[in-house]
Amino acid sequence: MYVCMCHAVTEDQVKRAIDAGADTPRQIAKGCKAGTDCGSCVRRIQALLGEHGARPCPTARLAAKLGLADPGAESEAEPDPAPVAALRVA
């Protein structure tokens, strides 16, 4: 299955990069360019990294903290007890 359509990178290629020691989307990109064009594959790359024990990126942790994470995704972040204030548009 393709992860990155822009550079024709497959899931197996990403998994091999992870097995070789890559533990961030940037390190994956250095090897195969996945995630360097339109960016739509970065979330899948992050998921693959998470499945292989890599730490989720700060954006994923923030999304989980704000309750914006995917419903089936596991979260390392603890819910913030303080309410989030609404932004006012002037």
Side-chain angles (χ1 to χ4, degrees), residues 43-87:
R43 289 188 67 181
R44 180 64 187 143
I45 292 169
Q46 290 170 336
L48 289 169
L49 285 164
E51 290 170 12
H52 285 74
R55 188 173 176 197
C57 74
T59 304
R61 289 193 308 271
L62 178 60
K65 190 174 214 175
L66 295 175
L68 303 173
D70 293 334
E74 293 183 41
S75 170
E76 288 184 7
E78 294 183 20
D80 190 354
V84 177
L87 296 176

Side-chain angles (χ1 to χ4, degrees), residues 8-57:
V9 178
T10 65
E11 194 168 294
D12 288 335
Q13 288 173 285
V14 173
K15 288 178 181 178
R16 282 195 301 269
I18 295 168
D19 291 340
D23 62 357
T24 65
R26 189 175 306 248
Q27 290 174 346
I28 299 289
K30 284 183 183 179
C32 61
K33 295 187 177 183
T36 61
D37 201 353
C38 77
S40 66
C41 60
V42 173
R43 289 188 67 181
R44 180 64 187 143
I45 292 169
Q46 290 170 336
L48 289 169
L49 285 164
E51 290 170 12
H52 285 74
R55 188 173 176 197
C57 74

